[in-house]
Amino acid sequence: MKNKISKITSVALSIILVCLMCITASAAQLSGEGTKNNPYVISTANQLDAFSEMVAKGESFSGKFIVLDADIAVNAAFAPIGSEEAPFKGVFDGNGKALSAFNVKQDYAGLFGYTDGAVISGLSVSGNFRATDYAGAIVAFAKNTVIENCSVSALVYADNYTGGVAGCLKSGKIDSCTTSNKATVGGFEEYCGGIAGFSGGEISDCTNNAYAYGIKNVGGIAGYSAGSIISCTNTVAVNATKTNLGGIAGLAEGTVKYCKNTGKISATDSKTEKVGGIAGVSYNAVIAECMNSGAVSATGSFAGGITGYATNTAISDCIVTADTSANGTYAGGIFGFALDGKTEKCVVTASVSAKNSTAGAVGAIAQCTVADCYYNSTKASKAVISGTASNTNGISEADLVNKNALTALDFTKVWTINTLHASHPLLESIPYHTLDISVSTEASCTQNGQIKGICTLCAEEINKITLAYGHSFMTVSSQDATCTANGYKDLLCSVCGTADSETIPATGHSDADENGICDVCNNNIKEKEPEKEKTIFEKIADFFKSIIDWLRSLFVK
């Protein structure tokens, strides 16, 4: 009996000890409750490692909030947070802090290895990341993920899918992120971009200052964009050795709007082709209101101030102010080659050159519609080499700032003339003022943003309002409705973290074959026939019958 009590006591003490150890370990890893108002807090490199380990063991942190509370030099053994088998799904707020000293050498190399439905914001990252496939300083592979207000000063290399911010953005959004001039992004096979190697989502308001180079599908913003690139800028040189090299996207299959390239876009091999100031190759794409002021050169064929090689692409309201050249054949101020699609209302102020007189001021081979474009007549004499161009004229340098000579352009909404800033028309959608800012607030889900100030060069007062963009809800938990009970969805805004819920009404029963059994829940739903009410005579008869039965019970034993 004594031994039995001793064993029980020993087991109880062991259980208590294990519980205390778990509680202590949990407290050492992350403080907080994971809510928006009381998030989990990471303050040390060990806590960051513990957080990574928790995700690796299957804790996705879906619907949970994590905040970085200090600048951290990561441990040498740091492992990227999340994998394809166990992705991170929570909200990670960098809180303006910096993570440094990374030295990650593995596939899916990044602060986060794999995310799905996550939100990552407000942090800077520096260090080294190297992979065979998928490398990005913030996220290596991002699915349905929002990455915003992040900065990168890292060296990022991979054979395939290399990006300064994300190696692959399968879906989601990268917004207001930057790479510094201390960063380098290198791809040794294909899909290499200053911001993302591949993007199937949206990249907006991002700036690349990192030197980017690769072999195929290389771009200042994205190596290959199958989504949209909006209001982005590339400021530095971008190089490739084979094909599909662009200032914004190496290969653009989607939308590119309000973007600007100022970097030199050039080949580093003897036969690099399909090079463009905005896109090396564009396919089923829309390129609108973009500006290229970086020199474009192809050592092979097909160079364009906007796109080197275009198929079914709509190009409109774009301007090129830097020279375009091809050591091979076919160069154009806007496109080298264009099949189908349309090019309209574009302006070229610089020179174009190619081998064997195959250079056109607007395009070389125009197997598409070309209309309402203008070029500098002192720099070129022919709009296109092959094909036709309607209402497309060479004009003098003086007329490049003369609205009466540029009648096809829309000076009410799209274009403007400001000779204090440029000797050519300017796009309203691409900022050109140098502002002394008095008011600067960012738009949010519910509040408008505003930038107000006076240009230090032309003294124009600028007051730009950016409309609130509304919540972007993702489902963090749900329960389907049944035939008789309501379901629900718990929602969380991927941008600001606002929580909401949605009721899903009960579906009701379904009995298509009218057999009285629900086709969905298999319950018997046939209504019982109501009992027929008895007549007054039947009720009197029942009354007397009950009295007779009672009398019988008194005398019959």
Side-chain angles (χ1 to χ4, degrees):
M1 182 68 177
K2 199 172 185 180
N3 288 337
K4 188 174 181 182
I5 292 172
S6 178
K7 287 180 181 179
I8 292 172
T9 303
S10 177
V11 170
L13 288 172
S14 297
I15 292 172
I16 292 170
L17 181 61
V18 169
C19 290
L20 288 172
M21 289 174 64
C22 290
I23 292 169
T24 304
S26 176
Q29 288 173 2
L30 299 174
S31 62
E33 298 178 350
T35 63
K36 183 179 180 181
N37 294 328
N38 187 16
Y40 294 126
V41 177
I42 295 175
S43 303
T44 68
N46 288 340
Q47 286 178 330
L48 189 66
D49 286 344
F51 171 52
S52 178
E53 186 177 351
M54 292 169 73
V55 176
K57 290 180 178 179
E59 173 53 71
S60 71
F61 288 89
S62 178
K64 300 296 183 181
F65 293 79
I66 301 95
V67 66
L68 197 61
D69 197 38
D71 296 336
I72 298 173
V74 303
N75 290 328
F78 171 82
I81 301 162
S83 64
E84 186 174 5
E85 295 76 21
F88 172 69
K89 298 183 177 183
V91 178
F92 189 93
D93 180 3
N95 193 29
K97 305 302 181 182
L99 296 175
S100 61
F102 287 96
N103 189 22
V104 179
K105 296 179 180 179
Q106 65 172 74
D107 283 354
Y108 298 92
L111 166 61
F112 290 88
Y114 199 109
T115 61
D116 184 358
V119 180
I120 301 160
S121 65
L123 72 153
S124 62
V125 170
S126 61
N128 300 302
F129 301 88
R130 178 67 172 94
T132 300
D133 295 316
Y134 304 110
I138 305 298
V139 184
F141 191 103
K143 178 181 176 183
N144 191 28
T145 291
V146 175
I147 306 168
E148 57 185 359
N149 298 314
C150 293
S151 62
V152 171
S153 297
L155 307 180
V156 186
Y157 304 102
D159 291 356
N160 300 293
Y161 301 99
T162 318
V165 174
C168 176
L169 178 70
K170 183 175 182 181
S171 55
K173 185 176 184 178
I174 300 175
D175 181 65
S176 302
C177 292
T178 61
T179 54
S180 79
N181 57 11
K182 296 180 180 179
T184 299
V185 183
F188 304 116
E189 290 187 18
E190 61 180 318
Y191 307 128
C192 174
I195 300 297
F198 169 85
S199 173
E202 179 181 320
I203 304 176
S204 60
D205 294 302
C206 292
T207 300
N208 176 54
N209 301 300
Y211 171 53
Y213 68 90
I215 295 176
K216 180 181 179 182
N217 294 322
V218 182
I221 300 298
Y224 174 14
S225 173
S228 61
I229 303 177
I230 309 294
S231 300
C232 291
T233 301
N234 175 64
T235 67
V236 291
V238 185
N239 301 138
T241 59
K242 284 191 177 180
T243 186
N244 300 9
L245 167 64
I248 299 298
L251 171 59
E253 186 180 353
T255 300
V256 182
K257 285 186 176 182
Y258 320 134
C259 291
K260 181 180 181 179
N261 172 62
T262 63
K264 184 178 180 180
I265 311 303
S266 59
T268 55
D269 193 72
S270 60
K271 294 183 179 179
T272 305
E273 63 178 13
K274 299 175 183 174
V275 181
I278 299 299
V281 172
S282 55
Y283 177 75
N284 290 340
V286 173
I287 302 175
E289 297 183 49
C290 292
M291 179 178 184
N292 175 45
S293 59
V296 175
S297 62
T299 51
S301 299
F302 307 114
I306 297 298
T307 178
Y309 196 98
T311 302
N312 194 30
T313 297
I315 306 170
S316 63
D317 294 301
C318 292
I319 183 168
V320 175
T321 62
D323 295 343
T324 302
S325 64
N327 291 349
T329 53
Y330 310 120
I334 301 298
F335 59 83
F337 173 89
L339 173 65
D340 299 327
K342 187 175 185 178
T343 296
E344 60 180 347
K345 300 178 181 178
C346 293
V347 178
V348 180
T349 69
S351 63
V352 184
S353 61
K355 189 177 180 180
N356 299 331
S357 301
T358 55
V362 175
I365 300 178
Q367 296 180 12
C368 65
T369 300
V370 177
D372 300 326
C373 294
Y374 300 93
Y375 59 93
N376 188 335
S377 60
T378 64
K379 301 288 182 72
S381 59
K382 199 170 184 180
V384 297
I385 301 303
S386 174
T388 60
S390 63
N391 193 30
T392 295
N393 304 304
I395 59 177
S396 67
E397 288 188 6
D399 279 341
L400 286 170
V401 288
N402 180 1
K403 291 182 181 181
N404 293 328
L406 302 166
T407 55
L409 304 185
D410 181 359
F411 283 100
T412 62
K413 295 180 181 179
V414 181
W415 297 88
T416 189
I417 298 290
N418 190 320
T419 56
L420 290 174
H421 285 277
S423 57
H424 54 74
L426 295 163
L427 289 163
E428 293 276 18
S429 56
I430 297 178
Y432 54 88
H433 290 289
T434 303
L435 293 182
D436 181 5
I437 297 175
S438 59
V439 177
S440 179
T441 56
E442 292 187 3
S444 66
C445 296
T446 57
Q447 298 291 324
N448 292 341
Q450 181 184 21
I451 295 178
K452 185 177 181 180
I454 297 176
C455 180
T456 58
L457 183 61
C458 68
E460 183 177 345
E461 184 174 343
I462 305 299
N463 186 18
K464 183 179 179 182
I465 302 296
T466 305
L467 296 178
Y469 38 76
H471 292 299
S472 179
F473 284 114
M474 60 182 181
T475 302
V476 293
S477 65
S478 64
Q479 181 171 306
D480 292 336
T482 66
C483 296
T484 57
N486 292 338
Y488 67 87
K489 286 184 180 180
D490 287 335
L491 307 172
L492 186 70
C493 179
S494 61
V495 178
C496 69
T498 296
D500 200 357
S501 62
E502 178 182 315
T503 299
I504 306 170
T507 59
H509 293 297
S510 175
D511 186 15
D513 52 10
E514 298 182 349
N515 65 351
I517 304 298
C518 178
D519 301 330
V520 179
C521 66
N522 295 319
N523 286 332
N524 187 342
I525 58 174
K526 187 175 181 181
E527 294 183 5
K528 295 180 179 180
E529 294 184 6
E531 293 185 5
K532 187 178 179 182
E533 188 176 358
K534 295 180 178 181
T535 65
I536 185 64
F537 299 107
E538 290 174 329
K539 291 179 180 179
I540 293 171
D542 288 342
F543 173 72
F544 283 111
K545 182 176 181 299
S546 64
I547 291 174
I548 292 170
D549 290 338
W550 175 70
L551 292 172
R552 283 178 177 172
S553 68
L554 294 176
F555 298 104
V556 179
K557 293 182 179 179

